[in-house]
Amino acid sequence: MEEINLDCLVLIFNVLIKDEKSLHSCLLVNKKWCNIVVPILWKRCFLGEINEKLCNVILSFLPSSSKKLLSNNDIKLPSLTLSKFPLFNYISFCRYISPDDVDKIINIVLKNLCNDHRRNLMEQEIYKLFISQCKNVKYLCWTTRQPLTLFPGASIFFSQLYELYINIDSVNSDALYELAQICKDLNTLSISGYCNIPNLFYLIDAQRNLKKLSLHAEVDEKTGNCGKELSKALRNRTTINSLYLNSIDNIVLSSLTTLVNLKKLTILHWKNYKEIQQYLAIYEFPNLQQLILRQGHLSSFKEISLLIEKTMGNISEIDIVTINKTAKEAEILIKAIVDNCPKISDLYTYIEPKDFIHVKTLLLNCRFLRIIELRSLEFFINENDNNIGDELLDIFILFSPKSLDNISISGFWKYSIDAFNRFFEGFRKRPLQHFNIIFDKLSYSNITSNHKIIIRKYINEGVVKYSSC
């Protein structure tokens, strides 16, 4: 029988990556199969699966100098650690390194003892091992104070990184500068911590093809230098298509106007809503596909609408959970979505009862909607609004596209029991995956035990699969 081509075997085994049992069986077929399968199995190692057996294999690769250093400092390696060098250099196949896995190895050896000196030595030698031996690592989470860029093999190790998460509270300015000299081909960079290190600019600026940038950082407001440097680093970064900003100052926001290829923009926790509204009005991201604004206090939908109007119709997700309860004119946003977002699938926003009629237009024009979440802008109950939510429920029954199977509505609006029954009967032939009631902690809820009984009834009958009630 003719042998299967090696390239075909590699493709087949990579498809079986989720079925480790079958892959382990393939190891035993012959040496050729074994040589292909072992790297595939080990390249996804270190994903929270460290146990004592795996720990012993990893520690077997420690050089004699490391073992002697640990022994001299009263660190006893497990007796089951392999005395002979294994058949494969398993460490070299690994693609991911996380601090959690390093901690698990240390805890297995030190039995969770909290001796800072011994833990530091153990951590140092493990990271030295990984950096010197792992030639194909694609993801690194750097939250250690170990000087990783100074370890043997660091230049090769960091030059091949694809994704880096770094807590800058754990590194000093020199380490960031050194990192910028040898790590230039990141696709994804995620930064957290208190942003007061000047050389952070060099790390971002050094990247030649950065696609995704996440800044979960507090900018140093005392000096303002880091904000200015971050702003410089972001200017003209035309390769970036995904940007996540958390607690970033207005200096940084002002530099986003040059990110013309941005497809996903997420902004959380801004402090000055007037400035963010100003920037939203002037931003132009024609290729934008996802817009997420959360945990701020925007007082108007107008600026968001202006941003949406300048896109090219490719937006698939809008997530607005930032509006001040006093905000008005929610219909401006709905109209902008209707006119400019024919491909939208996920929508999270706020409306008032007077805007329910615009929901009808939205459902009729955006036929790819899959998820819709409508929160209430109202804060005070109007006693004249008896069962005002019935209109919204009837609109969903009559005009929802077939794709819409996840509906969340505010518990602030009043719904009659008859309308609730009518709503679920309307979806009997096209069951909902989710039906949720949003309970605003600051608002009174009009959802009663009778409403919940109805929801439970239709869950039991298969009309709804999941519900927050």
Side-chain angles (χ1 to χ4, degrees):
M1 186 177 73
E2 189 174 338
E3 287 191 12
I4 301 177
N5 180 278
L6 287 180
D7 291 334
C8 292
L9 283 174
V10 171
L11 290 173
I12 293 169
F13 294 150
N14 273 296
V15 170
L16 290 174
I17 189 68
K18 295 180 181 178
D19 185 5
E20 288 193 13
K21 200 170 184 180
S22 297
L23 273 181
H24 280 111
S25 299
C26 295
L27 283 171
L28 307 176
V29 173
N30 56 47
K31 187 175 181 181
K32 185 182 293 183
W33 282 39
C34 183
N35 288 337
I36 298 172
V37 172
V38 167
I40 294 174
L41 283 170
W42 273 81
K43 75 179 181 182
R44 65 186 299 269
C45 226
F46 307 133
L47 294 174
E49 301 173 356
I50 299 293
N51 54 35
E52 192 165 342
K53 184 176 180 181
L54 189 55
C55 172
N56 291 338
V57 174
I58 293 167
L59 295 176
S60 300
F61 290 91
L62 285 172
S64 55
S65 57
S66 293
K67 292 177 180 177
K68 184 177 180 181
L69 176 64
L70 297 177
S71 178
N72 290 343
N73 284 273
D74 200 25
I75 299 175
K76 186 177 180 181
L77 296 178
S79 58
L80 293 177
T81 299
L82 302 178
S83 57
K84 292 183 179 180
F85 197 79
L87 183 62
F88 292 92
N89 185 355
Y90 301 110
I91 300 290
S92 66
F93 303 136
C94 297
R95 298 289 182 90
Y96 309 93
I97 296 177
S98 83
D100 290 340
D101 294 325
V102 175
D103 283 341
K104 285 182 180 179
I105 296 172
I106 295 171
N107 289 333
I108 289 172
V109 174
L110 297 181
K111 310 299 182 185
N112 294 309
L113 292 177
C114 297
N115 183 306
D116 290 341
H117 173 66
R118 288 161 68 188
R119 291 190 70 86
N120 183 67
L121 273 181
M122 191 78 202
E123 183 185 54
Q124 171 187 289
E125 297 310 304
I126 292 172
Y127 273 111
K128 280 185 177 179
L129 171 66
F130 287 151
I131 288 176
S132 64
Q133 296 296 320
C134 296
K135 307 302 183 186
N136 297 297
V137 166
K138 297 302 179 185
Y139 170 81
L140 173 68
C141 180
W142 186 344
T143 60
T144 177
R145 294 191 179 279
Q146 298 291 339
L148 303 186
T149 55
L150 301 180
F151 290 166
S155 59
I156 296 176
F157 178 91
F158 284 104
S159 67
Q160 299 190 37
L161 273 186
Y162 182 85
E163 183 174 349
L164 173 65
Y165 168 85
I166 185 167
N167 186 324
I168 55 176
D169 293 335
S170 302
V171 300
N172 59 36
S173 187
D174 290 339
L176 275 179
Y177 182 77
E178 292 158 1
L179 185 59
Q181 309 311 305
I182 57 178
C183 183
K184 299 176 182 290
D185 291 304
L186 291 174
N187 173 278
T188 303
L189 175 60
S190 182
I191 299 166
S192 68
Y194 191 69
C195 190
N196 60 356
I197 299 181
N199 284 334
L200 183 59
F201 159 77
Y202 292 107
L203 178 59
I204 297 175
D205 194 55
Q207 304 313 310
R208 292 179 283 222
N209 197 32
L210 189 63
K211 295 288 195 301
K212 299 178 183 179
L213 177 62
S214 296
L215 298 172
H216 312 249
E218 283 283 348
V219 172
D220 188 353
E221 295 180 348
K222 293 180 181 179
T223 64
N225 290 335
C226 193
K228 291 177 182 178
E229 288 169 354
L230 280 174
S231 180
K232 291 179 184 177
L234 288 173
R235 283 181 190 148
N236 300 316
R237 304 299 298 182
T238 56
T239 60
I240 294 178
N241 56 40
S242 177
L243 183 64
Y244 178 106
L245 300 175
N246 190 345
S247 299
I248 297 298
D249 69 3
N250 297 319
I251 298 174
V252 176
L253 290 171
S254 67
S255 66
L256 305 190
T257 53
T258 60
L259 304 183
V260 294
N261 292 313
L262 204 62
K263 294 181 179 179
K264 180 175 182 179
L265 175 62
T266 302
I267 305 178
L268 308 183
H269 295 295
W270 59 86
K271 297 175 183 178
N272 195 326
Y273 68 86
K274 291 183 179 179
E275 274 74 13
I276 182 62
Q277 288 186 186
Q278 171 191 333
Y279 291 125
L280 286 172
I282 63 174
Y283 286 155
E284 289 191 33
F285 304 130
N287 300 305
L288 197 65
Q289 296 177 8
Q290 292 176 287
L291 175 64
I292 301 173
L293 303 173
R294 284 179 171 266
Q295 301 173 32
H297 295 285
L298 291 176
S299 61
S300 171
F301 291 92
K302 182 179 179 182
E303 290 77 12
I304 304 173
S305 302
L306 289 172
L307 173 62
I308 291 171
E309 288 172 3
K310 287 176 280 189
T311 60
M312 300 297 289
N314 292 315
I315 291 182
S316 62
E317 178 181 351
I318 296 176
D319 187 343
I320 312 294
V321 188
T322 64
I323 295 295
N324 190 305
K325 286 289 185 178
T326 61
K328 300 295 179 183
E329 301 177 327
E331 74 274 10
I332 294 177
L333 176 62
I334 300 296
K335 289 179 179 178
I337 294 171
V338 169
D339 294 338
N340 300 280
C341 307
K343 298 179 182 178
I344 190 167
S345 61
D346 301 6
L347 174 61
Y348 306 80
T349 188
Y350 297 78
I351 60 172
E352 296 177 272
K354 69 181 182 64
D355 303 318
F356 288 166
I357 188 64
H358 300 299
V359 175
K360 171 184 173 181
T361 309
L362 175 76
L363 297 176
L364 285 171
N365 287 274
C366 302
R367 305 304 290 176
F368 296 100
L369 266 176
R370 182 178 61 91
I371 299 172
I372 188 167
E373 178 181 289
L374 300 176
R375 295 173 176 264
S376 174
L377 271 175
E378 297 176 304
F379 186 77
F380 299 105
I381 297 173
N382 187 340
E383 295 300 331
N384 296 322
D385 288 343
N386 290 325
N387 302 328
I388 190 69
D390 290 5
E391 179 187 354
L392 180 62
L393 294 178
D394 288 337
I395 287 172
F396 278 125
I397 296 169
L398 295 172
F399 304 107
S400 291
K402 292 181 180 180
S403 57
L404 185 61
D405 66 355
N406 190 325
I407 298 175
S408 298
I409 53 177
S410 174
F412 184 82
W413 301 314
K414 295 178 182 178
Y415 310 94
S416 70
I417 296 300
D418 287 343
F420 242 54
N421 273 308
R422 190 164 63 246
F423 171 81
F424 288 112
E425 284 298 328
F427 282 91
R428 184 174 288 280
K429 293 183 179 180
R430 43 175 177 149
L432 294 171
Q433 187 74 10
H434 294 268
F435 175 78
N436 299 314
I437 299 294
I438 304 164
F439 295 102
D440 191 332
K441 294 180 180 179
L442 300 177
S443 303
Y444 173 82
S445 174
N446 285 294
I447 300 300
T448 67
S449 58
N450 289 331
H451 290 96
K452 295 179 182 179
I453 289 171
I454 292 172
I455 295 173
R456 192 175 298 115
K457 170 181 179 292
Y458 283 98
I459 287 176
N460 292 336
E461 294 179 3
V463 177
V464 181
K465 191 167 184 178
Y466 301 107
S467 175
S468 59
C469 297

